[in-house]
Amino acid sequence: MKNVTFAILAVLIWGCTKQSPKTEATTSPELDSIQELVNIAKTAKELSLEDKKVYLKQAEEKSMALSNDSIKLEQLSKISLAYLKLRDSLNFRRSNQELIKLSQNAKSNKVLGYSNWDLALFLQSKGVMDSAMFYYRNALKSFEKMPVDSTSKSLRARMYYGMARVQDSYKDYLGGEISTTAAIKIFDDLEDNYRLHSSYNLLGVLAKGLGNTEKSIESYNKALEYLDKSDNPGKNKSKWVIQNNIASVYLNAGDYEKAKQEYKQLLSDNAFKQNLPGTYQKALGSFAYTVLKLDNDAEQAEQLLNEAFVVNAEYGDLYDRARLNYYYAEVLAAKKDTLQAIAQAKESFEVAKETYNNDRMLDALRLLNGLDPANSKSYFEEYAQLSDIIKVEERTKRDKFARIRLETDQVIEANQILIKEKQVWIYFTALFITFGIGFLIIISLYVSNSQLKSKQRLQESNQEIYNLMLSQQGKFKEGKQLEQKRISEELHDGILGEMLGIRLILSGLNERNDQASIDQRTNLIEKLRLVEEEIRTISHELNHASYEKFHNFIVSMEDMINEIEKSSGMNCSFAYDKKLNWDNLLGDIKINAYRIVQESLKNCVKHAKSQNVSISFQSTNGRLKLTITDDGVGFDPSRKKKGIGLRNIVSRVKKVKGVLDIDSRPGKGTSIMVTMPAKYVEFETTDQNHVVNA
């Protein structure tokens, strides 16, 4: 069980940070008088406790006389909280009980939530954890009934945090993690960095209790991150506490090297001892124990513990002194001073027993069992008996917490059922009335609706006809665009290639008048005639039947390559698989492969300035592989803007369902590889192995 002092400190911290219920601003002499009496009782240091109680009693009487219920409840809530901070248990319980009754009658969920919260904090400070859990749950229910805004969300999250603190005190670590996670989710939505730091710090404590060192350290580090983001003026104190927690995790896990590093860094801060002496003496004692375990330096450990005892005596924390006695017993045992070690272990046990520190009592008995063999049996029996009692007590508390959660959920579920039943009756009545009105309207409009339906059917028919017309126009337009694209590709890849070759040769013959030049020009004129024939052929190919045929494929390919070689001066080589029946390939494959080679060679002449080009057309595993490699200037495929020629190549590869791979670098030439399926006309087979084009 956590010590009373620590719990009271938590009560004061959370009480100071909680917001009082706010109502509409109202001023009156009576209200001003009440507030003045409460402020005097809270702030006047020269008054005795009894005098402060008198002032609060007068304020309470004046508040009860107020006619405005909301203002009355607000003032009574402040007075009840003032009794709690004065540690006047009797008057707090009396005023709190009255406030809960009044807020229930007035259906003031906010004040009712605060009242249950105050009572939960009070019971938690007294160590009555099961009741504290119950009132935290009541407060949560009240805050959940408030309108959803940042204030109500924050209040709900703080209740989850309070419940997790209670669950940790009775080692309900899994339940505590669930509650803390619920609080973190809300605080994260509100971007409340300081309370996120508190929640992650608690999550680290719970993970430590579960023995999950990694998660505990991770949670503490997140707590430090959110603490740095917050603008709370006391963040340095919180940082020291978290650093001490991190070192404590390493110490409990037996990682004395990391524990020593953390404690040394923490204790090196000169402001630590002055501003947080309680945590300082804890860190100092743990550091002494770490030195003993890691370095086996009993002398240094004893010096550090003596300093910790001095600080503890000034600070007055009896709960922590049991731990110091236990560490000192270990140091004395290491120094072979067994009698003094036994005395310190017994002192640790008695102090732990007085402060209800069950874990430390078990540690002390375990140590005495090893130090005092003569009484080992009695220590062992007492250890076993105490361990069983603690387990039963903790299990009982956890079961009670579970019952509280279950009963609360059942009440909520019952209320929701009643609300739903009420809503069903309301909906049924409204539906019956609506049905009657609708029935009358339907009868009166029946004839007119029939006419409207006829008109609607006619409009739908007209709309369907219109849509069909649009669809046909769209298909016609799409087919037209595809055909235009195909003709464009044929003109660009075929006619322009021929024209380029003729232009290059004529450019060299313009200034020569010998007979050979005259004969060559005559041949070029014949080529122009052939270009004319090719244009006529393209026109004929608009018929699909002629488009499917492309006879003497290899011969046509060689002629085209030879013509480009002669006209450009490039050295072209062509290799192909002589075992393949090329003429039986589908027309689409032949014509597109032909145009791909033609366009690639044209690019070699026009852009790449190539000297040598090799073309390879092979068959592998039922697929055709076309490769065109040149030694030209090359380009960067990722940056080069695609011209119409390259776009046509891409388009033709897609037509034959092939894969295009371009390998090129500036100054390193270009290699174009096209892999496509080998498809044949229906009356041919792909198993023929005789030589066709040998």
Side-chain angles (χ1 to χ4, degrees), residues 19 61 75 111 125 179 182 209 273 284 316 326 358 412 425 552 618 678:
Q19 302 171 350
E61 292 173 355
Q75 300 309 312
V111 176
S125 69
S179 299
K273 178 179 179 180
L284 192 62
Y326 174 80
N358 294 329
I412 294 172
W425 280 107
N552 299 321
Q618 304 295 332

Side-chain angles (χ1 to χ4, degrees), residues 397-497:
K397 291 295 182 182
R398 287 195 293 269
D399 292 343
K400 194 166 187 177
F401 292 162
R403 286 198 301 273
I404 291 172
R405 289 196 299 269
L406 178 61
E407 291 170 0
T408 304
D409 293 339
Q410 287 175 342
V411 171
I412 294 172
E413 185 178 356
N415 290 335
Q416 291 176 343
I417 291 173
L418 291 174
I419 292 172
K420 288 181 180 179
E421 288 179 352
K422 183 178 179 180
Q423 291 175 343
V424 168
W425 280 107
I426 294 173
Y427 293 154
F428 178 77
T429 304
L431 183 63
F432 181 77
I433 296 173
T434 305
F435 178 78
I437 297 173
F439 183 73
L440 294 175
I441 295 174
I442 289 172
I443 293 176
S444 62
L445 297 176
Y446 179 76
V447 177
S448 59
N449 283 343
S450 298
Q451 295 174 349
L452 289 174
K453 287 181 180 179
S454 299
K455 292 180 180 180
Q456 185 179 3
R457 283 194 294 270
L458 179 60
Q459 290 177 352
E460 289 175 352
S461 299
N462 292 334
Q463 183 66 35
E464 185 175 357
I465 293 171
Y466 178 71
N467 290 338
L468 288 172
M469 291 176 63
L470 289 179
S471 176
Q472 291 299 324
Q473 289 178 1
K475 290 181 179 179
F476 175 77
K477 186 176 181 180
E478 182 181 358
K480 180 180 178 181
Q481 290 174 345
L482 290 174
E483 188 61 21
Q484 287 175 344
K485 181 180 179 183
R486 189 185 72 80
I487 295 172
S488 171
E489 291 173 351
E490 291 297 325
L491 289 175
H492 179 274
D493 296 346
I495 305 305
L496 288 182

